[in-house]
Amino acid sequence: MDNCLFSHKVTNFSKHKDNLINLINKMPLNKFENISNTDGNLPKNIKRTYLDYFIKNIYNDFSLNFCNYFSVHKLELINIWFQQYKKVDNHSMHTHPGAHFANVFYIKLPHKKLKTKIISFNEKELNFETKEGNIVSFPAFYKHESPTNNCKEDKLVISFNTNILYP
């Protein structure tokens, strides 16, 4: 496993899953490229109740574990959005400039083949296991993509970027 890859298991995920899905379903439908629904390109003034829930119930525990794992002082959340992939949806290879880490919270992952494909140095694909309820973090300059969803069920993630802060 790449030593820059971090995985966090969300505590009480089964309790949070339905709440997050219901809150995300209240967002306006917004197709972007090959993604059936996302709020990543919606105006920032649109109310995102799922975000409030995520911060209050999930992010703080994640941040604490991340900081302990990497022995860093503080983690700054700089951007966050959800993505819903219906059948044949995908997200092509990309990076996240201006961020230290990209993070993917798997809310619905109907098949392990739909996990994020992450490419590190020397075009090496990272081999890792994940499942619903996990947040996977990796350097934001690593290329990554969401493979084509060939399942009948949707894939649903909350993605977010973070920066490490020092005192």
Side-chain angles (χ1 to χ4, degrees), residues 8 53-64 75-78 80 103 135 160-163:
H8 170 80
Y53 184 93
F54 174 80
I55 300 274
K56 180 180 179 186
N57 295 286
I58 296 165
Y59 180 77
N60 292 331
D61 188 42
F62 160 79
S63 178
L64 179 64
L75 195 62
E76 173 188 37
L77 177 63
I78 57 172
I80 185 167
N103 311 271
I135 300 173
F160 56 101
N161 293 331
T162 52
N163 283 338

Side-chain angles (χ1 to χ4, degrees), residues 11-70:
T11 306
N12 298 321
F13 173 68
S14 58
K15 171 186 152 189
H16 300 304
K17 180 179 179 176
D18 288 339
N19 290 331
L20 284 166
I21 291 169
N22 290 334
L23 292 170
I24 288 170
N25 285 339
K26 292 180 180 180
M27 295 295 297
L29 286 175
N30 180 52
K31 185 169 175 61
F32 178 73
E33 295 179 358
N34 294 325
I35 303 167
S36 285
N37 195 17
T38 183
D39 65 336
N41 62 338
L42 289 177
K44 297 296 178 195
N45 64 347
I46 290 179
K47 182 70 175 155
R48 290 166 166 82
T49 53
Y50 81 88
L51 175 55
D52 298 333
Y53 184 93
F54 174 80
I55 300 274
K56 180 180 179 186
N57 295 286
I58 296 165
Y59 180 77
N60 292 331
D61 188 42
F62 160 79
S63 178
L64 179 64
N65 287 340
F66 182 99
C67 289
N68 286 338
Y69 180 82
F70 286 111

Side-chain angles (χ1 to χ4, degrees), residues 78-79 94-102 140-142 144 161 163:
I78 57 172
N79 201 2
H94 62 284
T95 62
H96 293 205
H100 295 162
F101 279 84
F141 62 88
Y142 280 11
H144 58 283
N161 293 331
N163 283 338

